[in-house]
Amino acid sequence: MLCVLAFAYGRHLEAPALHQDKPEWIALSCYWEALLDRDFIEPEWLARHGVPPAGFLAPDWVSRTLRAPGSQHVWAPHYWTLTQPPVARYIIALGRTAGGYGLADLNTVWKSDLHKREPDAHAFAGMLWYSRALMAVLAVVSGLILFLLVRQCAGAVAGYAFVVLFASSDFLLTHLRRAMTESPLLFFTCLTLLFGARFLRANRKRRAVAWLILMGVAAGLAGATKLNGLALAGAGVALVAAVTYRQAGRQAAFRQFLLWTAVLLVTVGAVFTIVNPYLYPNPPLRLAAMLLFLRWETAQYVANPDWAIPDLATRVNLVPWLLLKPFTVTHRPLLNAALLMVGLYALGRSGWQWWRSEQDGNPTSVALLAVGAVTALPPLFTPLNWGRYYLYSVVFISIGIAVGIGQIANSGWRLWSQRHFRRGTATPNGR
C-alpha cells in the first residue's frame, strides 16, 4: 500500500496547476529562518506591512496587544502573522532547503503587471518542485495512516478500498501536493487520529496519558498549521470523556475527565504557542486577534459573488453535489451517498458496541467519528466556495465510502460462506 500511494503521489509533481497563492507561500517560507535566527533581517516587501493591517479594526481589549511594541517586525501583528499560523511555511522551507535553496533564492510575494502575476525568482521552479515533493511525502504518510486505521476498524476490503479512493482522487492529488497548508494539516490530523485511537486502546493509565500528550502535540501542530486544526482539541476532549465515563465510576470519572482534559488542552496550547513567536507577548489576546482578523478577511472575500455561497438554498443544492459528484472518484452521487450511509452506520454501530464493552466493538471507530465530526462538518457551512476548504470533508467521505464497501463485501462473504457451508455439509437425505 505504501508503494501504491508513493507511486500515485510521487509521479508528475509538476502536474497540479500553479495556484495563484503558491508563490506567496514559497516567499513566506522565510519564516523558518526567522524562527531560528534572532538577527533575521526581513525582506523589504515584508517590512512594508503596517501594524495592525490597514482597514482591520479590533476591539480595544485586542488592539492594545496589537499596538504593543515587539522585538521584531517580522513577528509583529501585521497581515502575514494574522492571516495564517506559520507551520506550513516551515515545512515548505524544509522542502526547499533539502533542494539546496536558501534565503537568497526566494522570490518576493508577486511580480505584478497589468495582465498577469508571476513569481520573480529564477530558482522558483526548483523550490516549487522540492516543496511539492515534501508535501507528497506527507500525503503518502497520511494515506498510509488512514489505511491502517480503516483496515483496523472495518477490515481489509475497506482498507484497500480507501487506498484506491485516496490514490485515484483528482481532488486529493491536486490539493495535497500543493505547497500550501492542506497536506501538513491532514498529516497532523492523521497523527492526532492515530494517537487518539491508541489512547482509546491503552490498558494502563500511564500509557493512556502518554498517548494523550502525543495527541495534544499533534493537535497543537495542526492548529499551528491552520486555525481550524484547533478543532481537534474538541475531538480529544470527546475521546477523554468516552474513556473516563466508560471505565470509572461517576465521581471518579469526573475527576479523571477534568485532569486529563486539562493535560490535553495545556499540551495543545503550549505547542500551538511555542512554534509561533507572534503569540509570545500575549497568547490568548493575539489568538483572539487572529480569529477576529479571519472573520474580517472572510467578510472581504464574501463580497466577491464569484467566491461566495449566497444563501441557504444554494448551499443545500451546491455543497452535497460537490462532495458526492465532482470531488469523488466515481462521480455517482446516489451510489456514493448510499455507500456513505452504510459506512457511517457501520462505524456508529462499532463505536456503540465498544462503548457497551461488547465483543465486536472497535475504539478506532470512535476516534474516526469524533475527528470527522469536528473537522469534516464545519466546512459544510463555510461562506466561501473554495475547493480546498472541503479537504476534510472529501477525506472523511472517502473513509465512509470505503467502510461501506467493506461492510457490504463482508456481509456478502458471510452469506455466501453460510450457504456454501450448508450445501457442503448436507447429507444425502438433506440433513
Side-chain angles (χ1 to χ4, degrees):
M1 293 301 100
L2 178 62
C3 292
V4 170
L5 292 169
F7 176 77
Y9 280 85
R11 64 187 185 127
H12 305 315
L13 286 174
E14 71 284 352
L18 182 66
H19 191 276
Q20 64 176 9
D21 291 341
K22 195 168 291 183
E24 169 186 302
W25 284 97
I26 300 291
L28 289 167
S29 66
C30 66
Y31 269 88
W32 174 246
E33 285 81 4
L35 177 69
L36 300 179
D37 184 4
R38 289 187 177 182
D39 299 323
F40 173 77
I41 300 175
E42 59 189 334
E44 182 182 352
W45 60 265
L46 182 57
R48 288 197 298 263
H49 286 270
V51 178
F56 172 56
L57 299 177
D60 288 340
W61 57 277
V62 173
S63 296
R64 285 193 294 269
T65 187
L66 297 184
R67 292 191 296 264
S71 57
Q72 284 181 302
H73 176 269
V74 66
W75 295 113
H78 50 71
Y79 179 83
W80 299 118
T81 51
L82 289 170
T83 188
Q84 289 287 357
V87 166
R89 301 169 188 170
Y90 301 160
I91 293 174
I92 293 170
L94 292 176
R96 66 164 168 81
T97 302
Y101 297 97
L103 275 175
D105 301 305
L106 284 178
N107 55 295
T108 61
V109 173
W110 282 111
K111 179 180 179 181
S112 303
D113 58 32
L114 295 176
H115 305 290
K116 59 184 178 180
R117 301 192 296 178
E118 296 178 348
D120 61 347
H122 295 297
F124 180 78
M127 290 188 291
L128 178 62
W129 191 93
Y130 278 98
S131 300
R132 283 180 170 179
L134 186 52
M135 296 299 171
V137 170
L138 296 182
V140 169
V141 177
S142 299
L144 186 63
I145 292 172
L146 292 174
F147 159 70
L148 294 172
L149 293 175
V150 171
R151 187 180 189 277
Q152 186 179 73
C153 73
V157 173
Y160 299 142
F162 173 77
V163 169
V164 170
L165 295 175
F166 193 84
S168 56
S169 168
D170 292 334
F171 178 93
L172 296 178
L173 286 169
T174 296
H175 290 283
L176 293 181
R177 294 191 295 177
R178 283 177 169 166
M180 297 172 70
T181 58
E182 283 68 37
S183 194
L185 178 64
L186 181 62
F187 172 71
F188 292 122
T189 300
C190 290
L191 288 182
T192 305
L193 252 176
L194 178 62
F195 298 146
R198 297 298 300 171
F199 166 72
L200 294 178
R201 290 178 175 274
N203 53 13
R204 295 181 182 177
K205 283 191 176 182
R206 288 186 178 180
R207 291 183 180 179
V209 171
W211 289 117
L212 183 67
I213 291 173
L214 288 174
M215 182 168 54
V217 170
L221 290 173
T225 302
K226 197 170 185 179
L227 285 177
N228 59 343
L230 289 175
L232 292 169
V237 172
L239 297 186
V240 170
V243 168
T244 54
Y245 282 88
R246 178 176 177 268
Q247 296 180 349
R250 179 168 296 182
Q251 187 173 0
F254 184 68
R255 289 198 300 268
Q256 186 170 314
F257 169 76
L258 291 180
L259 177 61
W260 283 7
T261 298
V263 170
L264 174 69
L265 296 182
V266 167
T267 303
V268 172
V271 172
F272 177 75
T273 302
I274 288 170
V275 297
N276 189 358
Y278 152 79
L279 295 169
Y280 290 176
N282 192 324
L285 288 184
R286 291 212 165 188
L287 174 58
M290 293 181 75
L291 296 173
L292 289 171
F293 184 82
L294 176 63
R295 187 178 68 175
W296 174 80
E297 190 177 31
T298 300
Q300 313 304 309
Y301 293 142
V302 168
N304 186 335
D306 295 332
W307 293 342
I309 301 177
D311 50 46
L312 179 61
T314 303
R315 181 180 304 279
V316 169
N317 288 304
L318 176 65
V319 174
W321 177 80
L322 287 173
L323 294 176
L324 295 175
K325 188 173 183 180
F327 290 171
T328 60
V329 174
T330 62
H331 306 305
R332 287 176 169 78
L334 294 180
L335 174 63
N336 291 327
L339 292 173
L340 177 61
M341 291 301 104
V342 173
L344 290 176
Y345 169 76
L347 289 172
R349 184 184 63 182
S350 175
W352 177 251
Q353 288 172 335
W354 172 80
W355 174 266
R356 298 287 299 273
S357 300
E358 297 179 12
Q359 186 174 0
D360 293 335
N362 195 306
T364 302
S365 301
V366 178
L368 285 169
L369 289 172
V371 172
V374 301
T375 58
L377 293 180
L380 305 183
F381 304 97
T382 174
L384 293 172
N385 185 27
W386 288 355
R388 65 180 187 270
Y389 279 20
Y390 299 111
L391 173 71
Y392 275 140
S393 303
V394 171
V395 169
F396 281 95
I397 284 174
S398 299
I399 291 173
I401 290 173
V403 173
I405 293 172
Q407 185 72 12
I408 292 171
N410 292 339
S411 299
W413 174 254
R414 283 196 298 269
L415 290 174
W416 183 87
S417 298
Q418 291 171 2
R419 184 172 300 178
H420 182 72
F421 178 77
R422 289 171 184 170
R423 289 179 179 177
T425 57
T427 65
N429 295 327
R431 296 177 182 175

